[in-house]
Amino acid sequence: MLPLDVLVPVAGLALLDTLSPAVIGVSLYVLLSGSRSVARPLLAYLGTVAAFYLALGCALMLGLGFALDRLGGLLDDTALGWVLTVAGGGALVFSFFMSTGPRPRRPASLRTGAMVALGLGTGVLEGATALPYFGAIALLTAADPSPLVWLPVLAAYNLVMVLPGVLLYLGLRALGERARPRLERWRAKVESGGRGALPWIVGIAGFLLLRQGLWLTGALEGLGATVG
């Protein structure tokens, strides 16, 4: 079982990843496409995105775990804390200067194959918005749990990441045409201003990594003792 000081930041990063303009934008486009069946293309897209990032996360966890095992005692909690501190601080500063990124992509077709391809494209091309995910993987790697522990956590993370698309679908099913005007407004906001969410996502993820890194180094405890 992972300690709360790891689970809480990872859960926060997962919630932050639900703001992905790509996932929300494509989900809204599919739901408002007027197609008779939107469940299959939507689930094909969301499932592909979740599966892609789960596979990527497993590869990174295994690779980073192997690297840390090879390094042995060279990287203790303090050293890992400074790595997270530098990475988080760099991301936080970078968020003030980064561009807003590309517009959310629209599917060329609602066929299952096209939606799977779009899901893979989202995973490959939307790398900048994966910073919260990479941060969560760094936190999990630092905690050094067994695969039986981190694999369910990664799976849950990816389910949370695509949860907005599922909730939007359920909302449309429950409310029918009454939900369509609101979804139209949300889609317009995502298409016009969704790109501006990217610096916020990177900045908040950087702050969470910075905070966790400072905690691992003991700097926050020292600050608390000084203030107290």
Side-chain angles (χ1 to χ4, degrees):
M1 181 67 181
L2 288 170
L4 286 179
D5 56 16
V6 175
L7 281 177
V8 171
V10 169
L13 290 168
L15 291 175
L16 185 61
D17 242 344
T18 62
L19 300 177
S20 168
V23 172
I24 296 176
V26 172
S27 298
L28 287 171
Y29 182 83
V30 172
L31 293 175
L32 298 172
S33 64
S35 174
R36 290 185 177 181
S37 176
V38 296
R40 179 178 296 178
L42 180 62
L43 292 179
Y45 172 74
L46 296 177
T48 301
V49 172
F52 177 89
Y53 278 111
L54 178 59
L56 176 62
C58 290
L60 289 174
M61 285 294 300
L62 294 173
L64 289 175
F66 176 78
L68 290 178
D69 288 341
R70 299 286 291 182
L71 289 174
L74 294 179
L75 286 178
D76 55 11
D77 285 349
T78 301
L80 286 173
W82 283 117
V83 171
L84 292 178
T85 298
V86 172
L92 183 59
V93 172
F94 177 65
S95 68
F96 289 98
F97 303 98
M98 68 182 299
S99 63
T100 54
R103 289 182 179 272
R105 294 169 172 264
R106 287 189 174 188
S109 168
L110 294 185
R111 293 181 179 178
T112 300
M115 298 306 297
V116 169
L118 182 60
L120 292 174
T122 298
V124 172
L125 299 177
E126 300 290 331
T129 60
L131 180 62
Y133 191 46
F134 296 148
I137 290 172
L139 295 177
L140 290 173
T141 302
D144 194 26
S146 70
L148 293 178
V149 174
W150 60 253
L151 183 57
V153 174
L154 279 186
Y157 186 108
N158 284 281
L159 289 177
V160 171
M161 183 173 62
V162 299
L163 186 59
V166 177
L167 294 178
L168 289 171
Y169 170 75
L170 294 177
L172 183 61
R173 290 282 296 178
L175 299 177
E177 290 300 316
R178 290 176 295 171
R180 186 170 292 273
R182 177 167 295 183
L183 295 182
E184 291 279 7
R185 291 194 296 270
W186 287 351
R187 184 175 70 174
K189 288 182 179 180
V190 169
E191 291 180 347
S192 63
R195 295 176 295 167
L198 181 56
W200 283 97
I201 293 174
V202 173
I204 295 173
F207 170 77
L208 291 174
L209 289 178
L210 176 63
R211 178 186 176 279
Q212 186 69 11
L214 290 174
W215 184 86
L216 287 174
T217 62
L220 290 182
E221 293 181 2
L223 179 61
T226 301
V227 174

PDB file of all heavy atoms in Angstrom, residues 108-135:
ATOM      1  N   ALA A 108     -11.512  12.952 -38.294  1.00  0.00           N
ATOM      2  CA  ALA A 108     -11.910  13.027 -39.693  1.00  0.00           C
ATOM      3  C   ALA A 108     -13.084  12.107 -39.979  1.00  0.00           C
ATOM      4  O   ALA A 108     -13.844  12.324 -40.922  1.00  0.00           O
ATOM      5  CB  ALA A 108     -10.725  12.658 -40.586  1.00  0.00           C
ATOM      6  N   SER A 109     -13.245  11.076 -39.176  1.00  0.00           N
ATOM      7  CA  SER A 109     -14.327  10.108 -39.346  1.00  0.00           C
ATOM      8  C   SER A 109     -14.649   9.517 -37.984  1.00  0.00           C
ATOM      9  O   SER A 109     -13.808   9.515 -37.080  1.00  0.00           O
ATOM     10  CB  SER A 109     -13.900   9.006 -40.320  1.00  0.00           C
ATOM     11  OG  SER A 109     -14.801   7.920 -40.287  1.00  0.00           O
ATOM     12  N   LEU A 110     -15.883   9.033 -37.833  1.00  0.00           N
ATOM     13  CA  LEU A 110     -16.279   8.406 -36.577  1.00  0.00           C
ATOM     14  C   LEU A 110     -16.177   6.885 -36.643  1.00  0.00           C
ATOM     15  O   LEU A 110     -16.649   6.200 -35.731  1.00  0.00           O
ATOM     16  CB  LEU A 110     -17.708   8.815 -36.206  1.00  0.00           C
ATOM     17  CG  LEU A 110     -17.925  10.294 -35.882  1.00  0.00           C
ATOM     18  CD1 LEU A 110     -19.355  10.517 -35.404  1.00  0.00           C
ATOM     19  CD2 LEU A 110     -16.933  10.795 -34.850  1.00  0.00           C
ATOM     20  N   ARG A 111     -15.560   6.369 -37.679  1.00  0.00           N
ATOM     21  CA  ARG A 111     -15.342   4.930 -37.739  1.00  0.00           C
ATOM     22  C   ARG A 111     -14.370   4.514 -36.640  1.00  0.00           C
ATOM     23  O   ARG A 111     -13.504   5.277 -36.230  1.00  0.00           O
ATOM     24  CB  ARG A 111     -14.792   4.539 -39.105  1.00  0.00           C
ATOM     25  CG  ARG A 111     -15.788   4.746 -40.249  1.00  0.00           C
ATOM     26  CD  ARG A 111     -15.192   4.321 -41.572  1.00  0.00           C
ATOM     27  NE  ARG A 111     -16.150   4.492 -42.660  1.00  0.00           N
ATOM     28  CZ  ARG A 111     -15.876   4.233 -43.936  1.00  0.00           C
ATOM     29  NH1 ARG A 111     -14.660   3.790 -44.271  1.00  0.00           N
ATOM     30  NH2 ARG A 111     -16.805   4.417 -44.863  1.00  0.00           N
ATOM     31  N   THR A 112     -14.536   3.263 -36.193  1.00  0.00           N
ATOM     32  CA  THR A 112     -13.737   2.788 -35.064  1.00  0.00           C
ATOM     33  C   THR A 112     -12.242   2.897 -35.349  1.00  0.00           C
ATOM     34  O   THR A 112     -11.462   3.350 -34.497  1.00  0.00           O
ATOM     35  CB  THR A 112     -14.099   1.328 -34.732  1.00  0.00           C
ATOM     36  OG1 THR A 112     -15.491   1.255 -34.400  1.00  0.00           O
ATOM     37  CG2 THR A 112     -13.275   0.826 -33.556  1.00  0.00           C
ATOM     38  N   GLY A 113     -11.831   2.511 -36.548  1.00  0.00           N
ATOM     39  CA  GLY A 113     -10.414   2.588 -36.892  1.00  0.00           C
ATOM     40  C   GLY A 113      -9.884   4.005 -36.839  1.00  0.00           C
ATOM     41  O   GLY A 113      -8.769   4.251 -36.361  1.00  0.00           O
ATOM     42  N   ALA A 114     -10.690   4.952 -37.322  1.00  0.00           N
ATOM     43  CA  ALA A 114     -10.266   6.351 -37.300  1.00  0.00           C
ATOM     44  C   ALA A 114     -10.161   6.872 -35.876  1.00  0.00           C
ATOM     45  O   ALA A 114      -9.246   7.640 -35.546  1.00  0.00           O
ATOM     46  CB  ALA A 114     -11.242   7.208 -38.109  1.00  0.00           C
ATOM     47  N   MET A 115     -11.077   6.460 -35.009  1.00  0.00           N
ATOM     48  CA  MET A 115     -11.048   6.919 -33.626  1.00  0.00           C
ATOM     49  C   MET A 115      -9.872   6.310 -32.867  1.00  0.00           C
ATOM     50  O   MET A 115      -9.262   6.964 -32.015  1.00  0.00           O
ATOM     51  CB  MET A 115     -12.366   6.579 -32.928  1.00  0.00           C
ATOM     52  CG  MET A 115     -13.590   7.253 -33.535  1.00  0.00           C
ATOM     53  SD  MET A 115     -13.448   9.053 -33.677  1.00  0.00           S
ATOM     54  CE  MET A 115     -13.314   9.531 -31.962  1.00  0.00           C
ATOM     55  N   VAL A 116      -9.550   5.054 -33.173  1.00  0.00           N
ATOM     56  CA  VAL A 116      -8.370   4.435 -32.562  1.00  0.00           C
ATOM     57  C   VAL A 116      -7.108   5.174 -33.008  1.00  0.00           C
ATOM     58  O   VAL A 116      -6.216   5.467 -32.201  1.00  0.00           O
ATOM     59  CB  VAL A 116      -8.287   2.941 -32.922  1.00  0.00           C
ATOM     60  CG1 VAL A 116      -6.936   2.358 -32.512  1.00  0.00           C
ATOM     61  CG2 VAL A 116      -9.419   2.169 -32.248  1.00  0.00           C
ATOM     62  N   ALA A 117      -7.040   5.490 -34.302  1.00  0.00           N
ATOM     63  CA  ALA A 117      -5.884   6.227 -34.811  1.00  0.00           C
ATOM     64  C   ALA A 117      -5.785   7.601 -34.161  1.00  0.00           C
ATOM     65  O   ALA A 117      -4.687   8.070 -33.825  1.00  0.00           O
ATOM     66  CB  ALA A 117      -5.985   6.363 -36.329  1.00  0.00           C
ATOM     67  N   LEU A 118      -6.930   8.252 -33.972  1.00  0.00           N
ATOM     68  CA  LEU A 118      -6.925   9.562 -33.324  1.00  0.00           C
ATOM     69  C   LEU A 118      -6.484   9.443 -31.869  1.00  0.00           C
ATOM     70  O   LEU A 118      -5.759  10.303 -31.354  1.00  0.00           O
ATOM     71  CB  LEU A 118      -8.312  10.192 -33.402  1.00  0.00           C
ATOM     72  CG  LEU A 118      -8.443  11.598 -32.805  1.00  0.00           C
ATOM     73  CD1 LEU A 118      -7.519  12.579 -33.519  1.00  0.00           C
ATOM     74  CD2 LEU A 118      -9.889  12.082 -32.889  1.00  0.00           C
ATOM     75  N   GLY A 119      -6.913   8.372 -31.202  1.00  0.00           N
ATOM     76  CA  GLY A 119      -6.475   8.155 -29.825  1.00  0.00           C
ATOM     77  C   GLY A 119      -4.974   7.960 -29.732  1.00  0.00           C
ATOM     78  O   GLY A 119      -4.322   8.506 -28.836  1.00  0.00           O
ATOM     79  N   LEU A 120      -4.413   7.192 -30.668  1.00  0.00           N
ATOM     80  CA  LEU A 120      -2.961   7.016 -30.697  1.00  0.00           C
ATOM     81  C   LEU A 120      -2.266   8.339 -31.004  1.00  0.00           C
ATOM     82  O   LEU A 120      -1.222   8.660 -30.419  1.00  0.00           O
ATOM     83  CB  LEU A 120      -2.582   5.966 -31.739  1.00  0.00           C
ATOM     84  CG  LEU A 120      -3.010   4.525 -31.434  1.00  0.00           C
ATOM     85  CD1 LEU A 120      -2.703   3.618 -32.622  1.00  0.00           C
ATOM     86  CD2 LEU A 120      -2.320   4.008 -30.178  1.00  0.00           C
ATOM     87  N   GLY A 121      -2.860   9.108 -31.921  1.00  0.00           N
ATOM     88  CA  GLY A 121      -2.282  10.407 -32.240  1.00  0.00           C
ATOM     89  C   GLY A 121      -2.299  11.346 -31.050  1.00  0.00           C
ATOM     90  O   GLY A 121      -1.349  12.108 -30.827  1.00  0.00           O
ATOM     91  N   THR A 122      -3.378  11.281 -30.276  1.00  0.00           N
ATOM     92  CA  THR A 122      -3.449  12.101 -29.066  1.00  0.00           C
ATOM     93  C   THR A 122      -2.325  11.731 -28.106  1.00  0.00           C
ATOM     94  O   THR A 122      -1.659  12.598 -27.537  1.00  0.00           O
ATOM     95  CB  THR A 122      -4.810  11.916 -28.372  1.00  0.00           C
ATOM     96  OG1 THR A 122      -5.853  12.356 -29.245  1.00  0.00           O
ATOM     97  CG2 THR A 122      -4.873  12.710 -27.078  1.00  0.00           C
ATOM     98  N   GLY A 123      -2.105  10.434 -27.945  1.00  0.00           N
ATOM     99  CA  GLY A 123      -1.051   9.994 -27.035  1.00  0.00           C
ATOM    100  C   GLY A 123       0.332  10.401 -27.495  1.00  0.00           C
ATOM    101  O   GLY A 123       1.174  10.811 -26.694  1.00  0.00           O
ATOM    102  N   VAL A 124       0.570  10.311 -28.809  1.00  0.00           N
ATOM    103  CA  VAL A 124       1.903  10.605 -29.336  1.00  0.00           C
ATOM    104  C   VAL A 124       2.160  12.106 -29.425  1.00  0.00           C
ATOM    105  O   VAL A 124       3.235  12.597 -29.045  1.00  0.00           O
ATOM    106  CB  VAL A 124       2.078   9.954 -30.726  1.00  0.00           C
ATOM    107  CG1 VAL A 124       3.387  10.402 -31.368  1.00  0.00           C
ATOM    108  CG2 VAL A 124       2.041   8.439 -30.603  1.00  0.00           C
ATOM    109  N   LEU A 125       1.167  12.854 -29.914  1.00  0.00           N
ATOM    110  CA  LEU A 125       1.393  14.260 -30.231  1.00  0.00           C
ATOM    111  C   LEU A 125       1.104  15.216 -29.080  1.00  0.00           C
ATOM    112  O   LEU A 125       1.592  16.344 -29.079  1.00  0.00           O
ATOM    113  CB  LEU A 125       0.535  14.652 -31.443  1.00  0.00           C
ATOM    114  CG  LEU A 125       0.828  13.881 -32.733  1.00  0.00           C
ATOM    115  CD1 LEU A 125      -0.128  14.309 -33.837  1.00  0.00           C
ATOM    116  CD2 LEU A 125       2.272  14.097 -33.172  1.00  0.00           C
ATOM    117  N   GLU A 126       0.297  14.782 -28.113  1.00  0.00           N
ATOM    118  CA  GLU A 126      -0.036  15.671 -27.005  1.00  0.00           C
ATOM    119  C   GLU A 126       0.920  15.455 -25.837  1.00  0.00           C
ATOM    120  O   GLU A 126       0.523  15.447 -24.678  1.00  0.00           O
ATOM    121  CB  GLU A 126      -1.483  15.428 -26.546  1.00  0.00           C
ATOM    122  CG  GLU A 126      -2.525  15.657 -27.617  1.00  0.00           C
ATOM    123  CD  GLU A 126      -2.662  17.128 -27.979  1.00  0.00           C
ATOM    124  OE1 GLU A 126      -2.418  17.971 -27.107  1.00  0.00           O
ATOM    125  OE2 GLU A 126      -3.003  17.420 -29.135  1.00  0.00           O
ATOM    126  N   GLY A 127       2.190  15.287 -26.148  1.00  0.00           N
ATOM    127  CA  GLY A 127       3.170  14.977 -25.112  1.00  0.00           C
ATOM    128  C   GLY A 127       3.313  16.062 -24.066  1.00  0.00           C
ATOM    129  O   GLY A 127       3.577  15.776 -22.894  1.00  0.00           O
ATOM    130  N   ALA A 128       3.134  17.314 -24.455  1.00  0.00           N
ATOM    131  CA  ALA A 128       3.327  18.403 -23.497  1.00  0.00           C
ATOM    132  C   ALA A 128       2.316  18.340 -22.363  1.00  0.00           C
ATOM    133  O   ALA A 128       2.629  18.664 -21.221  1.00  0.00           O
ATOM    134  CB  ALA A 128       3.228  19.752 -24.213  1.00  0.00           C
ATOM    135  N   THR A 129       1.093  17.920 -22.675  1.00  0.00           N
ATOM    136  CA  THR A 129       0.066  17.863 -21.636  1.00  0.00           C
ATOM    137  C   THR A 129       0.214  16.630 -20.759  1.00  0.00           C
ATOM    138  O   THR A 129      -0.562  16.450 -19.828  1.00  0.00           O
ATOM    139  CB  THR A 129      -1.339  17.859 -22.276  1.00  0.00           C
ATOM    140  OG1 THR A 129      -1.470  16.706 -23.127  1.00  0.00           O
ATOM    141  CG2 THR A 129      -1.562  19.116 -23.089  1.00  0.00           C
ATOM    142  N   ALA A 130       1.202  15.771 -21.052  1.00  0.00           N
ATOM    143  CA  ALA A 130       1.405  14.570 -20.238  1.00  0.00           C
ATOM    144  C   ALA A 130       2.294  14.844 -19.036  1.00  0.00           C
ATOM    145  O   ALA A 130       2.623  13.908 -18.307  1.00  0.00           O
ATOM    146  CB  ALA A 130       2.013  13.455 -21.089  1.00  0.00           C
ATOM    147  N   LEU A 131       2.684  16.091 -18.815  1.00  0.00           N
ATOM    148  CA  LEU A 131       3.564  16.393 -17.685  1.00  0.00           C
ATOM    149  C   LEU A 131       2.988  15.918 -16.355  1.00  0.00           C
ATOM    150  O   LEU A 131       3.725  15.353 -15.540  1.00  0.00           O
ATOM    151  CB  LEU A 131       3.858  17.893 -17.636  1.00  0.00           C
ATOM    152  CG  LEU A 131       4.770  18.334 -16.486  1.00  0.00           C
ATOM    153  CD1 LEU A 131       6.141  17.682 -16.595  1.00  0.00           C
ATOM    154  CD2 LEU A 131       4.912  19.852 -16.459  1.00  0.00           C
ATOM    155  N   PRO A 132       1.688  16.111 -16.066  1.00  0.00           N
ATOM    156  CA  PRO A 132       1.165  15.562 -14.804  1.00  0.00           C
ATOM    157  C   PRO A 132       1.361  14.053 -14.702  1.00  0.00           C
ATOM    158  O   PRO A 132       1.676  13.533 -13.622  1.00  0.00           O
ATOM    159  CB  PRO A 132      -0.325  15.936 -14.850  1.00  0.00           C
ATOM    160  CG  PRO A 132      -0.384  17.135 -15.735  1.00  0.00           C
ATOM    161  CD  PRO A 132       0.668  16.908 -16.773  1.00  0.00           C
ATOM    162  N   TYR A 133       1.189  13.351 -15.815  1.00  0.00           N
ATOM    163  CA  TYR A 133       1.357  11.895 -15.807  1.00  0.00           C
ATOM    164  C   TYR A 133       2.805  11.517 -15.535  1.00  0.00           C
ATOM    165  O   TYR A 133       3.093  10.625 -14.733  1.00  0.00           O
ATOM    166  CB  TYR A 133       0.898  11.342 -17.153  1.00  0.00           C
ATOM    167  CG  TYR A 133       0.772   9.832 -17.203  1.00  0.00           C
ATOM    168  CD1 TYR A 133       0.147   9.131 -16.183  1.00  0.00           C
ATOM    169  CD2 TYR A 133       1.253   9.114 -18.293  1.00  0.00           C
ATOM    170  CE1 TYR A 133       0.014   7.748 -16.239  1.00  0.00           C
ATOM    171  CE2 TYR A 133       1.116   7.739 -18.361  1.00  0.00           C
ATOM    172  CZ  TYR A 133       0.501   7.061 -17.331  1.00  0.00           C
ATOM    173  OH  TYR A 133       0.366   5.698 -17.388  1.00  0.00           O
ATOM    174  N   PHE A 134       3.726  12.205 -16.191  1.00  0.00           N
ATOM    175  CA  PHE A 134       5.138  11.933 -15.951  1.00  0.00           C
ATOM    176  C   PHE A 134       5.513  12.263 -14.506  1.00  0.00           C
ATOM    177  O   PHE A 134       6.346  11.583 -13.898  1.00  0.00           O
ATOM    178  CB  PHE A 134       6.004  12.739 -16.918  1.00  0.00           C
ATOM    179  CG  PHE A 134       5.808  12.364 -18.362  1.00  0.00           C
ATOM    180  CD1 PHE A 134       5.949  13.309 -19.363  1.00  0.00           C
ATOM    181  CD2 PHE A 134       5.478  11.070 -18.717  1.00  0.00           C
ATOM    182  CE1 PHE A 134       5.765  12.967 -20.693  1.00  0.00           C
ATOM    183  CE2 PHE A 134       5.288  10.711 -20.047  1.00  0.00           C
ATOM    184  CZ  PHE A 134       5.434  11.666 -21.036  1.00  0.00           C
ATOM    185  N   GLY A 135       4.899  13.311 -13.976  1.00  0.00           N
ATOM    186  CA  GLY A 135       5.148  13.641 -12.576  1.00  0.00           C
ATOM    187  C   GLY A 135       4.658  12.554 -11.642  1.00  0.00           C
ATOM    188  O   GLY A 135       5.330  12.194 -10.664  1.00  0.00           O
TER     189      GLY A 135
END
